[in-house]
Amino acid sequence: MKAWENVIDSPIKGRTQKPRENGITMVIDKGLGLNEIKDLISLAGDYIDIIKLTFGTSAFYEEKLLKEKNKLITQAEIDVMPGGTFLEVAIWKNVYEKFLERAKELGFTAIEVSDGTIEIDLEERKKIIKKAVNMGFKVISEVGKKDPNEKISIPLMHKEILSDLECGAFKVIVEAREAGRGVGIYDSEGKIKEEEIDKIISGVKDVNCLIWEAPHKNQQQYLILRFGLNVNLGNIPPDEVLALEALRQGLRGDTLKRAYLEYKK
């Protein structure tokens, strides 16, 4: 039972429950220890769907510790995956199959497929996704480049999104890096580029197929107000999960105001 149950209801109704198809919250983990993971799960586990051990950070864990951490996460009905950059290294080094096998052994349940740094052509990308899906992983793919000077065209982005979903990807992330500035739908100050969002969604049948990387509050607020409380959001810092959930459900001033004004109509 929640602390305020039967006293105060959330002003915005319709929040999806786990296991979710939409309303995904993906947390970025740069190096949480076992006690920190236990605390995070006990406090906010109901509102986390995926934890990403970002970049190549999982390479530095002792095997026993990583297995124990992944077990804690998956027992809480949360998917866990290594970062897409780590997969790109595996592709570059031609050890992708071994990478998947070891990921399975270590207790990962999801795989992020990206080409944010290296070049992977569309046909190879299809094979990469299908192989991970066939091994039982939930695949979260990503479109876009980390370097703003290497921005891909919108038509290519649309093509990759459609192809990834057809190959079995669960969702497709729109690249914005962990900084949320100067890449993708954000300018150098982290402000929303609405015209960029308009272009991206113009080529997808259902915006719910996308996960928007949104590490900052102004980004989360905009996306929730535009697409609703069950928009899929990624790269959420661990200590921001409940703050994000408050935004989703109208328990923070920015979204409460809209709910209140609509109630008064």
Side-chain angles (χ1 to χ4, degrees):
M1 181 174 177
K2 300 300 182 184
W4 292 90
E5 197 168 324
N6 299 323
V7 178
I8 296 178
D9 294 329
S10 297
I12 301 177
K13 306 299 182 187
R15 183 70 173 111
T16 52
Q17 303 296 312
K18 293 172 69 173
R20 297 182 183 90
E21 289 292 318
N22 299 308
I24 300 296
T25 293
M26 184 187 77
V27 168
I28 184 171
D29 176 353
K30 296 182 180 180
L32 298 177
L34 293 181
N35 289 333
E36 291 174 298
I37 276 291
K38 289 176 183 176
D39 286 344
L40 178 63
I41 290 171
S42 66
L43 184 65
D46 287 348
Y47 311 108
I48 301 171
D49 303 281
I50 305 165
I51 292 178
K52 175 170 65 175
L53 307 191
T54 194
F55 324 129
T57 53
S58 64
F60 307 112
Y61 286 71
E62 292 293 330
E63 181 179 343
K64 182 179 178 182
L65 175 61
L66 183 53
K67 286 182 175 179
E68 187 174 352
K69 180 173 179 176
N70 285 348
K71 185 176 180 180
L72 285 171
I73 294 170
T74 55
Q75 284 180 336
E77 298 182 353
I78 299 170
D79 283 304
V80 59
M81 65 186 185
T85 300
F86 201 31
L87 173 136
E88 291 181 46
V89 174
I91 299 298
W92 172 39
K93 296 292 185 178
N94 198 29
V95 292
Y96 180 55
E97 289 191 19
K98 290 182 179 180
F99 170 83
L100 291 180
E101 291 167 0
R102 182 61 59 86
K104 184 73 72 173
E105 292 170 1
L106 293 170
F108 288 102
T109 59
I111 293 292
E112 182 180 26
V113 173
S114 71
D115 59 356
T117 304
I118 71 170
E119 295 299 326
I120 300 174
D121 67 42
L122 189 59
E123 290 307 309
E124 184 178 6
R125 185 181 176 100
K126 291 178 181 179
K127 293 176 184 176
I128 290 168
I129 293 172
K130 288 178 179 178
K131 186 162 289 187
V133 170
N134 290 338
M135 284 189 65
F137 289 104
K138 179 178 287 185
V139 172
I140 314 294
S141 67
E142 184 174 65
V143 292
K145 293 292 185 181
K146 296 185 182 300
D147 186 342
N149 295 317
E150 298 178 354
K151 180 181 175 181
I152 70 171
S153 69
I154 293 296
L156 177 57
M157 184 178 289
H158 289 159
K159 188 174 182 179
E160 287 185 348
I161 291 170
L162 179 60
S163 174
D164 291 355
L165 294 171
E166 288 178 344
C167 289
F170 171 61
K171 301 288 182 185
V172 182
I173 299 168
V174 178
E175 173 72 74
R177 307 201 68 174
E178 77 285 356
R181 294 186 177 91
V183 176
I185 63 171
Y186 308 120
D187 67 16
S188 60
E189 296 180 350
K191 296 178 181 177
I192 302 286
K193 296 192 292 185
E194 292 190 54
E195 71 283 357
E196 195 72 12
I197 294 180
D198 292 340
K199 291 176 184 177
I200 292 170
I201 65 174
S202 70
V204 298
K205 293 180 180 179
D206 182 1
V207 71
N208 288 321
C209 73
L210 302 176
I211 296 177
W212 306 94
E213 291 188 331
H216 303 295
K217 182 249 185 178
N218 69 297
Q219 300 164 356
Q220 299 159 13
Q221 177 184 328
Y222 172 87
L223 292 164
I224 290 168
L225 290 175
R226 175 158 183 177
F227 297 115
L229 79 164
N230 289 314
V231 63
N232 303 310
L233 299 175
N235 279 4
I236 306 303
D239 61 350
E240 291 289 329
V241 174
L242 291 186
L244 167 60
E245 197 61 32
L247 264 179
R248 288 189 187 273
Q249 299 196 40
L251 291 167
R252 197 165 171 177
D254 312 275
T255 47
L256 172 60
K257 184 174 183 179
R258 175 180 284 189
Y260 179 66
L261 291 174
E262 290 180 354
Y263 169 77
K264 289 185 68 178
K265 286 181 181 179

